[in-house]
Amino acid sequence: MKPVIAVCPGSYDPVTYGHVDLIERAARVFDRLIVAVLRNIQKEPLFALAERVEMLKEATRHLENVEIDVFEGLLVDFARKRGAGVVVRGIRAVSDYEYELQMALMNRKMEPQIETVFMLPAETFSYLSSSLVKEIARLGGSVQGLVPPFVEERLKTKVP
Ligand code: PNS
């Protein structure tokens, strides 16, 4: 049987334990998982693309079937190019669903061959987002337990 390749796209600015949890779950379900980092985020990212990739590589080094790649332009074009038939997205709460549904259906309209699969991260991370992590770090709060220690260190250098 053909191996099932999945793409897990995102901004990852920066990677959180919520992302790692989802990537671990998806890596158990699919034969290969490509974590795809969006090059141009609409709003200016805190971390450069190379930094976001480095942190993701570090955070997923224990997962043999996971690779990190970057993309720009349409996600469906990237997935097609990489031979991936599945897009994995995490849904933390009902509030995520509306936007995710819209994106999944639009992606399906553009590329009917690619299926979007929604997965649930551990409920302990249901309140966690990169945006909140950045805000807490910026305002001098602790992000311990929300992101890996090496991300915590990098956040400190960004927001002294
Ligand atoms: O981590 P994020 O910011 O929630 O990820 C959003 C992402 C990267 C999945 C989404 O913005 C995306 O797929 N962008 C690529 C451009 C694209 O394909 N747009 C059409 C979506 S219907």
Side-chain angles (χ1 to χ4, degrees):
M1 244 173 53
K2 236 173 77 179
V4 181
I5 304 172
V7 176
C8 192
S11 313
Y12 301 103
D13 184 38
V15 60
T16 68
Y17 276 138
H19 292 129
V20 176
D21 177 81
L22 196 85
I23 291 167
E24 284 172 347
R25 286 170 199 279
R28 284 199 289 272
V29 173
F30 300 104
D31 298 306
R32 269 176 55 206
L33 184 69
I34 302 165
V35 177
V37 188
L38 182 65
R39 184 184 293 272
N40 294 319
I41 306 177
Q42 263 165 7
K43 47 190 185 327
E44 187 67 21
L46 181 63
F47 291 97
L49 181 69
E51 292 180 285
R52 286 182 273 143
V53 168
E54 255 176 55
M55 289 186 281
L56 269 166
K57 281 191 175 158
E58 184 72 30
T60 59
R61 66 191 309 170
H62 59 296
L63 300 167
E64 266 180 14
N65 60 339
V66 172
E67 67 170 283
I68 315 298
D69 200 354
V70 298
F71 79 107
E72 55 190 332
L74 287 177
L75 172 63
V76 287
D77 288 340
F78 172 80
R80 205 184 295 119
K81 236 179 0 218
R82 294 297 319 263
V86 176
V87 169
V88 178
R89 290 287 287 170
I91 301 246
R92 288 164 298 190
V94 176
S95 49
D96 283 337
Y97 182 71
E98 219 165 315
Y99 171 61
E100 292 299 333
L101 176 71
Q102 196 182 7
M103 244 188 348
L105 292 177
M106 191 58 88
N107 282 335
R108 180 192 276 172
K109 169 92 181 106
M110 290 187 285
E111 179 46 273
Q113 298 300 319
I114 295 174
E115 285 298 335
T116 296
V117 171
F118 294 142
M119 294 186 72
L120 310 179
E123 53 279 20
T124 40
F125 299 127
S126 60
Y127 58 89
L128 182 51
S129 72
S130 296
S131 315
L132 281 184
V133 162
K134 283 182 282 190
E135 184 169 325
I136 293 166
R138 190 165 48 80
L139 298 173
S142 167
V143 293
Q144 198 181 12
L146 305 180
V147 295
F150 51 87
V151 175
E152 231 180 299
E153 287 310 309
R154 282 193 194 227
L155 272 166
K156 280 185 197 148
T157 67
K158 292 280 173 188
V159 281

